[in-house]
Structures are given as structure tokens and as C-alpha cells.
Amino acid sequence: VTDLSVLSFRNESIKWFNEFQYFTSVTKIPDLMFSGCTALRSIVLPDGIIEIGSSAFSSCSSLKEIILPESLTTIGSGAFSGCKDIKSMIIPNTVNKIDNFAFHNCTSLSSITLSNNISTINRCVFQGCTSLLSVNIPKGVTYIENGAFNGCTNLFSVDLPDGLIGISKWAEYRDDGAFRGCISLSSITIPETVEFLGNDTF
């Protein structure tokens, strides 16, 4: 099996799919493939996966753990949005793009380890992750876009790297700031490399 584009488990009542780990010739999980599988608890991704498509696991509200393979380079828009039972996530260093809303409203996510090869924290990636406690932004990140950590109400510690150029890059309106609503954030150091803070950043 090399192509899953004609297959979809969307809104199915499956609980496990550990056999998926043997699909080692598959390189992409298609958009929406497991979206709405609210009973899905566990899945093992095969080595060789390069891309997780948009909303591939969105609203998998019972998914507790997923291990991302070292082959992965791209996490699509909304890929894990609404996965309310995931508590921790390690993004392998092979990943160079985490698209908008990827972990939006993952309300149990308390720990995230980011890839060292991303250059941008994209729009609303962690918006509404109300259990997230701290985040270390890797060196090499130059922009944190609007809404990136919006509403992360338990976020108390953020380490911003030297080399960061701008925060809330695309924020044109109020309510759009990268750290808006982070009511537990007690202090933050802005690196001297930062050139601008967008509207409503904090």
C-alpha cells in the first residue's frame, strides 16, 4: 500500500489502528482521514510518513497518545485540532513546518517539545491549549504569528530565542495577538533582535 487517498475512516467508531504501523510505504496521511473518530484511542504511525494532512486527526477527542515518526516533515493545518485527550507531544527534528491551527484546542496538552528545524510558529497553532504550562521556542524561529498561543490560560513560562524578529506577524486587528489571554504569564524577556510586536500581542 502506497496511497491512502481513496480511503477514509472519517467519523468511524474505530478505537485502535495499531496495524497502521506496518504500512511502511505510505508517505502521507490524507486530509481528514481520521477526522471525527471520537472513539479512536491509539494509533501507531509507520516509519516513512512525511506529511500529516490537514485535519487528519481533528476532533479525535479520545486519542491519548500518538508517536510521530522521524521521517515526518510537515504537520498540516488543523491536523490535531480538538484532540482533547493528548497530554504531551514530541515533534521530531525532521519537521520543518507546523501549519495553522495544528494543535488548536488540545485542552489537555501540557507539554510540547518543538522541532529545532522550524522557522515560524504559525497562526493559532496552539490556540486554546489551556493546560500548556511552558514552551521553549527553538533557536531558528524568526516569527511567531498571530494567535499562536492565544488563550493558553495556564502558560506561565516562555523562552524566546535570540534571532526572533517579530511576534504577531500578521495581526491586523484586536483579539488576534500571539499571547493574548495568557493570564498566567508573569514575565517574559524580549530578545534584542525583535523588531516589532503586532497588535494585542500580550
Side-chain angles (χ1 to χ4, degrees), residues 142-162:
T142 52
Y143 293 103
I144 299 174
E145 293 190 356
N146 58 310
F149 297 94
N150 192 325
C152 292
T153 51
N154 279 300
L155 184 67
F156 69 88
S157 174
V158 177
D159 290 328
L160 300 178
D162 290 333

Side-chain angles (χ1 to χ4, degrees), residues 16 43 48 60 86 95 100-101 110-111 120 137 142 179:
W16 297 277
I43 187 168
C60 290
I86 292 179
V95 172
N100 304 336
F101 295 92
S110 61
S111 172
T120 301
I137 308 296
T142 52
F179 294 95

Side-chain angles (χ1 to χ4, degrees), residues 177-191:
F179 294 95
R180 184 180 188 277
C182 293
I183 57 176
S184 298
L185 190 62
S186 59
S187 67
I188 193 164
T189 301
I190 308 296

Side-chain angles (χ1 to χ4, degrees), residues 23-142:
F23 287 49
T24 53
S25 294
V26 172
T27 58
K28 179 181 179 179
I29 300 176
D31 298 351
L32 297 165
M33 183 171 178
F34 296 96
S35 177
C37 291
T38 55
L40 183 65
R41 299 176 185 176
S42 174
I43 187 168
V44 179
L45 302 187
D47 293 332
I49 291 290
I50 296 173
E51 181 179 354
I52 297 175
S54 297
S55 301
F57 294 95
S58 65
S59 300
C60 290
S61 55
S62 298
L63 187 64
K64 295 184 180 297
E65 183 180 17
I66 186 166
I67 298 174
L68 305 181
E70 295 290 336
S71 54
L72 187 66
T73 64
T74 303
I75 298 175
S77 176
F80 297 98
S81 177
C83 291
K84 297 181 178 182
D85 267 6
I86 292 179
K87 294 182 178 180
S88 65
M89 182 70 72
I90 297 175
I91 311 296
N93 286 328
T94 50
V95 172
N96 54 42
K97 183 179 182 181
I98 305 173
D99 214 339
N100 304 336
F101 295 92
F103 297 96
H104 172 254
N105 280 347
C106 290
T107 52
S108 294
L109 185 67
S110 61
S111 172
I112 183 78
T113 301
L114 292 171
S115 166
N116 289 324
N117 284 311
I118 56 173
S119 60
T120 301
I121 306 294
N122 278 326
R123 182 169 177 256
C124 300
V125 168
F126 298 105
Q127 184 181 41
C129 291
T130 52
S131 295
L132 191 63
L133 300 175
S134 65
V135 62
N136 184 14
I137 308 296
K139 293 181 179 178
V141 170
T142 52

